[in-house]
Amino acid sequence: MWRLRRAAVACEVCQSLVKHSSGIKGSLPLQKLHLVSRSIYHSHYPTLKLQRPQLRTSFQQFSSLTNLPLRKLKFSPIKYGYQPRRNFWPARLATRLLKLRYLILGSAVGGGYTAKKTFDQWKDMIPDLSEYKWIVPDIVWEIDEYIDFEKIRKALPNSEDLVKLAPDFDKIVESLSLLKDFFTSGSPGETAFRATDHGSESDKHFRKVSDKEKIDQLQEELLHTQSKIWNLKYQRILERLEKENKELRKLVLQKDDKGIHHRKLKKSLIDMYSEVLDVLSDYDASYNTQDHLPRVVVVGDQSAGKTSVLEMIAQARIFPRGSGEMMTRSPVKVTLSEGPHHVALFKDSSREFDLTKEEDLAALRHEIELRMRKNVKEGCTVSPETISLNVKGPGLQRMVLVDLPGVINTVTSGMAPDTKETIFSISKAYMQNPNAIILCIQDGSVDAERSIVTDLVSQMDPHGRRTIFVLTKVDLAEKNVASPSRIQQIIEGKLFPMKALGYFAVVTGKGNSSESIEAIREYEEEFFQNSKLLKTSMLKAHQVTTRNLSLAVSDCFWKMVRESVEQQADSFKATRFNLETEWKNNYPRLRELDRNELFEKAKNEILDEVISLSQVTPKHWEEILQQSLWERVSTHVIENIYLPAAQTMNSGTFNTTVDIKLKQWTDKQLPNKAVEVAWETLQEEFSRFMTEPKGKEHDDIFDKLKEAVKEESIKRHKWNDFAEDSLRVIQHNALEDRSISDKQQWDAAIYFMEEALQARLKDTENAIENMVGPDWKKRWLYWKNRTQEQCVHNETKNELEKMLKCNEEHPAYLASDEITTVRKNLESRGVEVDPSLIKDTWHQVYRRHFLKTALNHCNLCRRGFYYYQRHFVDSELECNDVVLFWRIQRMLAITANTLRQQLTNTEVRRLEKNVKEVLEDFAEDGEKKIKLLTGKRVQLAEDLKKVREIQEKLDAFIEALHQEK
């Protein structure tokens, strides 16, 4: 009731003011009346449906004054009387002042509401710390030690501050009463005053319009000024709160580093997703299962600003830069995630690069450039191999981006001829993924008609459902383009055949590579604040700056991830079932060992076989060494030492010749031959252990690997350089000894000599048989015939044998007259021969004759040990050739023993070390393992392992994704 009475009084005041207004005919509209009088049903306007004014509604809903009791208003009695014309202007002035006061009040309340709403919006934008609850369960109650919440609460405006801005209604009523008394003091002139109200109609309309415009303009200015004041105040509060919140988040994330909590940190959601993509990048897309998981693919023409946009999103200068040349030579997968420190690290390295330090940034750029050049094969310019990089930092949007080489139109000098096609194939391989988000970068400073990438993107995504178009270098475009509407057409996609999900315009700096990210961001914000593109509404506020672009791309990325990840998980489950079924059907009794596990198994087997070399008995080593060494030197001993010495006439000359030739042989050839024999023997034994079947446990899948390890180890192994010198001294001493101590050694020397001579005799007879052809038995039994040349050789052999029978002690060489005699005898029988043919045939015939004679002499020397002890005094028997073979045999035994010691003590261990080094090198070389461990079984086990790993990581990621929801 008191509100109704107070409103009625206010209405009477308004009526009295209206009735005494000069130059106005009729009554004022409702908007010109008193604020209180418009809040109730007006008795003079029963047909109007009045509502509460907007100012009061906002005041009651959002102001803290709704809880305060209103003070009772005291109105002075209204007096009516005559008011002269000269006192009318104060009345108008007072009326406007009263309206101005209420406008100020409304502006204050409205500004407070606007600021409070802005504060709530900013507060909602502050990242939620709920995902870090698992980190800080023990310190959550210690937050008040770092932040003074009482101070923050006092800094915020309260209801009392807002009440102070509201006017004092008692003073307003008193002022109205005074003005009313002043206006109604002259009641006799009231009739004249009213008469003037019915003046000129045009004058009244002009003043009415003029007053309304002034009031509206003043009201807008007050509202704008008041909103700025309140926005600035709340902006300072929000900035302080954001700073404290950022420090608090950093403090919470660093708690584990300081040793407060020793629990294992959980991987972030984006890191888990990035690991899935890394595994998929190595997975061979067999069995019609392809990688359809989302990632942001950054494509664009060369030098369009792709790398700069990615650096602005990552908030660091992490990529190599060059003026006009191709810098991105292979795809770079960048995983962005939030963290307390701004760091970067590669997938295959533990080194962290601090992105706040310029030296670390330079090192990171250099490392990326080195990895790119390493991936590019010889004769190529770009490579499809991906470099995986993780970037963490405060405020980074979580997503996975892939920076691709820029699309080129012309192959320049220094590039491979297929560079353009290779770049197109790499870009298509990433964009054909139906869940990949295509971030199409277009240079705004060049003509749109020169763009190549837009046609490529429109082919891969014709409906634009997963494409985001970004126009870079807008600052240069605004300066150079004559018509700004052209930029609007580019942003709206009207100049290109492609469609896009969203269009953005960004500025990536002034073109100076030394600019910091913070400087570029400030320049970008300053440009768009003053840009005509925003002022003329050609661009909307949410379409500009890399910050808005980053937020939009991140939202689109996670939306795509949530929509597609479970479908991908189901497809890999089906693939896993098919692979497991195939393995059970083909290899039911074998374990599912992938390539790395097979390599480890083969490595253990090879090391066991190398260790087996040290278990070979000394006797076995000496036997094979002595036999191999004699096979290597027997030809030289028989042909170059024994046969020339045996042609001498007496024992003294024989011994002298033997000593000289043995000395020369020992100084130049024998030690080297011995070392070669020892090294070959070691290789043979090592190969025997490596290739020897192990029965049922033998797995032929390791054969190629073992052979490669053996060859590489042998290639790396080098015999000790000092072995020959020590061996030369030992061999020289052994050959100088001529003293046979007992009959057993004498018999062993004779046996050794007989074996050597018989082996040579057998070889000689084979050579003669090949020379003269088959004998009469083979010709009759096997139906073989002699050739014409063999017949000539046979006739020559028969003629030479006749000559030897006549003179069994014939020297080793034919005289010229003897050759002539043989040739004439053959010509008399109709056989034409050449003297060289006679010499060749004589060599083999005399050699057989000499060897048979030596074997007969060897049999005679079996009983010659007694004469040897007496130095063959008073005896026609001379067995110096037996002594020679004994010296050779003893040298072989001593050399074999020495080589065996070197093998067992040094060379086997060195070979074992080489094998381990080779295995370690092969273990680090993935291509080598793929080449050496091949086959359907290996590939099937490899696919099984990768599919299981992908499925497990996808399941863990999906579970974490649901928990985050």
Side-chain angles (χ1 to χ4, degrees):
M1 292 302 291
W2 64 273
R3 292 184 180 179
L4 294 175
R5 286 196 299 270
R6 185 164 60 184
V9 174
C11 290
E12 291 178 4
V13 175
C14 294
Q15 292 171 13
S16 64
L17 292 175
V18 172
K19 289 178 181 180
H20 290 81
S21 301
S22 173
I24 300 176
K25 185 177 178 179
S27 58
L28 290 172
L30 182 60
Q31 288 80 2
K32 300 292 184 180
L33 296 181
H34 194 279
L35 294 174
V36 181
S37 66
R38 287 190 287 121
S39 63
I40 62 172
Y41 182 83
H42 206 287
S43 60
H44 295 277
Y45 295 87
T47 59
L48 292 175
K49 296 182 179 180
L50 301 179
Q51 298 179 357
R52 296 182 179 179
Q54 185 66 26
L55 182 61
R56 184 173 180 87
T57 303
S58 301
F59 190 85
Q60 290 180 354
Q61 290 182 358
F62 300 101
S63 175
S64 60
L65 294 175
T66 54
N67 298 327
L68 297 177
L70 296 175
R71 289 189 289 270
K72 185 176 182 181
L73 301 178
K74 297 180 181 179
F75 294 95
S76 302
I78 302 174
K79 298 180 182 180
Y80 300 91
Y82 174 75
Q83 176 63 31
R85 182 178 179 81
R86 64 178 179 273
N87 296 328
F88 177 70
W89 65 271
R92 287 197 303 169
L93 180 60
T95 304
R96 292 180 180 178
L97 288 174
L98 288 173
K99 292 181 178 180
L100 183 61
R101 181 68 178 269
Y102 282 100
L103 289 175
I104 293 174
L105 173 63
S107 301
V109 178
Y113 164 68
T114 304
K116 184 175 183 303
K117 188 174 182 181
T118 304
F119 172 72
D120 293 337
Q121 292 177 354
W122 275 84
K123 187 170 68 173
D124 294 338
M125 291 173 62
I126 295 176
D128 188 12
L129 290 176
S130 59
E131 60 178 317
Y132 301 103
K133 288 181 179 179
W134 60 274
I135 299 178
V136 289
D138 300 331
I139 67 166
V140 69
W141 305 113
E142 302 175 5
I143 296 178
D144 54 350
E145 296 180 4
Y146 303 98
I147 299 178
D148 191 355
F149 291 102
E150 185 64 25
K151 183 178 179 181
I152 297 174
R153 185 183 65 80
K154 290 179 180 180
L156 294 174
N158 50 28
S159 59
E160 295 179 359
D161 294 334
L162 294 176
V163 168
K164 292 178 181 179
L165 298 175
D168 191 349
F169 290 101
D170 292 336
K171 293 182 179 181
I172 293 173
V173 173
E174 291 178 2
S175 300
L176 289 173
S177 300
L178 293 173
L179 289 173
K180 190 67 175 179
D181 294 340
F182 177 75
F183 290 142
T184 58
S185 58
S187 57
E190 184 177 359
T191 305
F193 180 75
R194 291 182 180 180
T196 61
D197 295 345
H198 306 285
S200 173
E201 188 70 28
S202 61
D203 185 32
K204 179 195 74 172
H205 179 71
F206 173 76
R207 292 179 179 179
K208 179 180 179 182
V209 174
S210 177
D211 294 342
K212 183 177 181 181
E213 290 178 353
K214 291 180 180 179
I215 291 172
D216 292 342
Q217 184 178 1
L218 183 60
Q219 183 178 6
E220 290 179 1
E221 292 179 356
L222 287 171
L223 285 173
H224 183 67
T225 304
Q226 193 68 22
S227 298
K228 280 188 175 180
I229 294 172
W230 283 97
N231 285 337
L232 288 174
K233 184 176 180 181
Y234 279 102
Q235 185 67 24
R236 294 191 191 97
I237 297 173
L238 286 174
E239 288 177 357
R240 188 171 69 252
L241 287 176
E242 284 183 347
K243 185 176 181 180
E244 293 178 353
N245 181 42
K246 186 176 180 180
E247 292 178 354
L248 177 61
R249 289 169 62 87
K250 193 172 182 180
L251 178 66
V252 168
L253 293 174
Q254 288 177 343
K255 282 291 185 180
D256 189 77
D257 296 337
K258 294 180 180 180
I260 296 176
H261 297 283
H262 299 281
R263 290 173 294 182
K264 186 177 180 181
L265 289 174
K266 294 167 65 177
K267 291 182 180 178
S268 64
L269 199 62
I270 190 65
D271 290 337
M272 297 172 66
Y273 185 75
S274 179
E275 289 181 359
V276 175
L277 295 182
D278 289 335
V279 177
L280 281 173
S281 65
D282 300 331
Y283 176 64
D284 186 14
S286 304
Y287 307 97
N288 298 325
T289 302
Q290 297 181 356
D291 175 15
H292 289 167
L293 288 175
R295 72 260 288 160
V296 181
V297 181
V298 185
V299 296
D301 298 331
Q302 186 179 355
S303 302
K306 305 187 313 325
T307 302
S308 300
V309 171
L310 209 155
E311 287 181 337
M312 289 293 291
I313 295 175
Q315 300 180 12
R317 293 275 199 175
I318 58 178
F319 291 103
R321 313 192 71 81
S323 56
E325 63 174 312
M326 179 181 293
M327 298 305 298
T328 306
R329 297 180 178 270
S330 65
V332 181
K333 182 177 74 68
V334 182
T335 303
L336 300 180
S337 58
E338 194 175 10
H341 305 290
H342 203 186
V343 296
L345 65 157
F346 292 97
K347 177 188 74 171
D348 55 353
S349 175
S350 60
R351 178 186 176 184
E352 285 191 352
F353 297 88
D354 190 351
L355 302 184
T356 60
K357 298 180 180 179
E358 187 58 36
E359 55 270 18
D360 279 20
L361 280 171
L364 176 62
R365 291 192 290 266
H366 181 66
E367 181 66 21
I368 292 177
E369 185 175 2
L370 288 179
R371 287 173 179 259
M372 285 183 181
R373 296 187 181 277
K374 182 179 178 181
N375 290 343
V376 176
K377 297 180 180 179
E378 186 177 356
C380 300
T381 306
V382 294
S383 170
E385 296 184 19
T386 304
I387 299 174
S388 184
L389 180 67
N390 293 340
V391 178
K392 298 181 180 181
L396 293 182
Q397 299 298 322
R398 302 177 302 168
M399 67 183 98
V400 177
L401 304 102
V402 181
D403 186 21
L404 299 180
V407 180
I408 60 174
N409 189 23
T410 305
V411 178
T412 60
S413 61
M415 292 185 179
D418 61 342
T419 301
K420 180 179 177 181
E421 292 74 15
T422 305
I423 294 175
F424 268 83
S425 63
I426 294 173
S427 302
K428 288 182 179 180
Y430 278 91
M431 289 191 291
Q432 69 184 1
N433 179 1
N435 296 321
I437 301 169
I438 303 173
L439 198 63
C440 181
I441 309 297
Q442 170 64 33
D443 189 350
S445 63
V446 299
D447 296 336
E449 292 77 9
R450 294 167 57 186
S451 176
I452 309 172
V453 72
T454 51
D455 294 335
L456 180 62
V457 173
S458 60
Q459 293 176 8
M460 306 308 297
D461 185 23
H463 302 290
R465 295 174 181 172
R466 52 189 180 89
T467 301
I468 297 177
F469 182 82
V470 182
L471 186 67
T472 61
K473 306 178 184 179
V474 184
D475 52 342
L476 300 178
E478 189 178 25
K479 293 178 183 178
N480 301 333
V481 177
S483 175
S485 60
R486 185 173 177 84
I487 299 178
Q488 184 181 11
Q489 292 178 353
I490 296 175
I491 290 295
E492 293 176 355
K494 296 180 180 179
L495 290 181
F496 298 106
M498 59 171 287
K499 299 179 182 179
L501 188 65
Y503 298 86
F504 288 86
V506 299
V507 175
T508 56
K510 301 179 182 179
N512 187 3
S513 60
S514 61
E515 285 182 289
S516 65
I517 296 296
E518 192 64 31
I520 297 175
R521 185 178 301 160
E522 292 177 358
Y523 171 71
E524 183 184 40
E525 293 177 356
E526 181 182 356
F527 167 77
F528 282 116
Q529 286 178 0
N530 303 322
S531 176
K532 297 178 182 179
L533 300 174
L534 280 181
K535 291 181 178 180
T536 57
S537 299
M538 292 185 183
L539 295 177
K540 298 179 182 178
H542 69 274
Q543 289 183 298
V544 298
T545 71
T546 50
R547 175 179 175 81
N548 291 335
L549 171 65
S550 178
L551 292 170
V553 173
S554 179
D555 292 341
C556 186
F557 169 75
W558 284 108
K559 180 181 178 182
M560 193 74 76
V561 168
R562 291 185 177 93
E563 291 175 354
S564 60
V565 66
E566 293 188 359
Q567 181 180 0
Q568 287 291 302
D570 293 338
S571 66
F572 278 104
K573 288 181 181 177
T575 304
R576 175 179 177 178
F577 176 78
N578 295 336
L579 293 176
E580 289 177 345
T581 304
E582 184 177 359
W583 181 274
K584 290 178 181 178
N585 293 333
N586 294 325
Y587 311 104
R589 297 182 180 180
L590 295 178
R591 291 178 56 198
E592 300 170 5
L593 299 179
D594 60 8
R595 186 171 280 109
N596 291 331
E597 293 171 337
L598 287 172
F599 182 83
E600 291 297 323
K601 183 178 178 181
K603 177 181 177 181
N604 294 331
E605 288 187 8
I606 293 172
L607 292 177
D608 291 341
E609 290 161 359
V610 174
I611 294 174
S612 300
L613 280 175
S614 60
Q615 299 176 357
V616 177
T617 60
K619 182 180 179 181
H620 179 74
W621 278 121
E622 292 182 9
E623 288 178 354
I624 58 178
L625 284 171
Q626 187 170 351
Q627 182 180 357
S628 301
L629 183 59
W630 172 244
E631 290 176 358
R632 181 68 60 86
V633 301
S634 61
T635 302
H636 181 84
V637 170
I638 300 295
E639 302 294 336
N640 299 330
I641 299 177
Y642 175 63
L643 289 179
Q647 303 303 318
T648 59
M649 301 306 294
N650 53 60
S651 61
T653 308
F654 178 89
N655 292 330
T656 303
T657 305
V658 167
D659 291 341
I660 294 173
K661 291 185 176 293
L662 287 178
K663 181 69 167 57
Q664 295 175 349
W665 182 45
T666 307
D667 292 340
K668 295 179 179 180
Q669 300 180 8
L670 183 57
N672 186 24
K673 294 288 184 181
V675 171
E676 289 180 0
V677 167
W679 177 219
E680 291 176 0
T681 303
L682 179 61
Q683 294 181 36
E684 291 174 359
E685 289 298 304
F686 180 50
S687 301
R688 182 174 65 83
F689 280 106
M690 294 281 284
T691 58
E692 188 178 16
K694 304 297 187 298
K696 295 182 179 180
E697 297 180 358
H698 177 70
D699 197 344
D700 56 359
I701 203 170
F702 300 143
D703 291 346
K704 290 178 66 177
L705 176 61
K706 290 181 178 180
E707 185 67 23
V709 172
K710 182 194 74 173
E711 293 178 358
E712 184 65 23
S713 302
I714 291 172
K715 187 186 299 183
R716 296 185 184 184
H717 186 82
K718 292 183 179 180
W719 204 273
N720 191 356
D721 296 333
F722 301 101
E724 291 187 13
D725 296 335
S726 60
L727 196 60
R728 182 178 291 108
V729 175
I730 294 173
Q731 291 172 343
H732 182 72
N733 294 333
L735 290 173
E736 284 186 347
D737 188 8
R738 296 189 183 88
S739 58
I740 304 176
S741 59
D742 53 15
K743 183 70 166 61
Q744 185 177 1
Q745 294 181 5
W746 181 269
D747 293 339
I750 292 176
Y751 178 75
F752 175 65
M753 179 179 176
E754 285 181 343
E755 283 189 342
L757 295 178
Q758 286 176 357
R760 292 296 162 182
L761 179 60
K762 184 177 180 181
D763 294 339
T764 303
E765 288 180 347
N766 290 333
I768 294 175
E769 183 178 357
N770 293 330
M771 182 183 297
V772 301
D775 56 3
W776 65 272
K777 291 183 180 178
K778 291 183 178 179
R779 290 199 304 272
W780 281 96
L781 294 175
Y782 302 107
W783 293 80
K784 292 182 179 181
N785 296 321
R786 291 173 177 170
T787 62
Q788 184 65 28
E789 183 179 2
Q790 288 176 342
C791 291
V792 173
H793 276 288
N794 184 53
E795 293 294 333
T796 305
K797 177 184 76 71
N798 294 333
E799 189 68 24
L800 292 173
E801 287 179 347
K802 292 178 182 178
M803 187 172 61
L804 276 175
K805 286 182 180 178
C806 297
N807 184 13
E808 292 185 354
E809 296 182 356
H810 194 283
Y813 302 100
L814 284 176
S816 58
D817 56 342
E818 293 177 332
I819 295 176
T820 303
T821 303
V822 172
R823 184 167 61 85
K824 288 182 177 180
N825 292 337
L826 292 174
E827 288 178 353
S828 64
R829 293 199 299 268
V831 180
E832 296 289 336
V833 294
D834 189 76
S836 60
L837 186 144
I838 297 174
K839 292 180 180 180
D840 292 341
T841 308
W842 168 256
H843 176 74
Q844 298 298 333
V845 171
Y846 180 81
R847 183 185 180 87
R848 183 176 64 175
H849 170 72
F850 174 80
L851 291 174
K852 288 183 177 179
T853 304
L855 284 172
N856 293 330
H857 180 69
C858 185
N859 290 327
L860 294 174
C861 288
R862 290 183 181 277
R863 55 184 179 82
F865 180 69
Y866 170 76
Y867 299 102
Y868 165 76
Q869 289 179 329
R870 297 181 60 184
H871 305 288
F872 301 103
V873 177
D874 300 332
S875 174
E876 297 180 357
L877 183 64
E878 294 184 356
C879 297
N880 293 317
D881 49 358
V882 177
V883 177
L884 169 63
F885 277 93
W886 178 82
R887 294 166 68 183
I888 298 294
Q889 185 182 30
R890 186 168 181 273
M891 182 273 297
L892 292 175
I894 294 175
T895 302
N897 181 268
T898 304
L899 292 175
R900 188 267 305 169
Q901 293 179 7
Q902 292 181 1
L903 282 172
T904 56
N905 296 336
T906 307
E907 302 304 329
V908 170
R909 296 179 182 178
R910 292 178 59 201
L911 179 62
E912 182 179 353
K913 182 180 178 182
N914 290 337
V915 171
K916 290 181 180 179
E917 292 177 355
V918 171
L919 289 172
E920 290 176 359
D921 293 342
F922 283 6
E924 297 175 358
D925 192 348
E927 295 182 357
K928 205 80 172 178
K929 289 192 286 188
I930 294 174
K931 181 180 178 180
L932 298 176
L933 293 174
T934 58
K936 180 180 178 182
R937 168 185 159 194
V938 180
Q939 191 61 42
L940 186 58
E942 197 73 13
D943 292 340
L944 257 174
K945 176 194 173 183
K946 290 181 179 179
V947 169
R948 285 171 179 165
E949 185 178 2
I950 293 169
Q951 183 186 350
E952 291 173 359
K953 290 184 179 295
L954 274 175
D955 293 341
F957 172 74
I958 293 172
E959 183 180 357
L961 191 64
H962 291 165
Q963 291 178 357
E964 187 182 64
K965 286 184 180 180

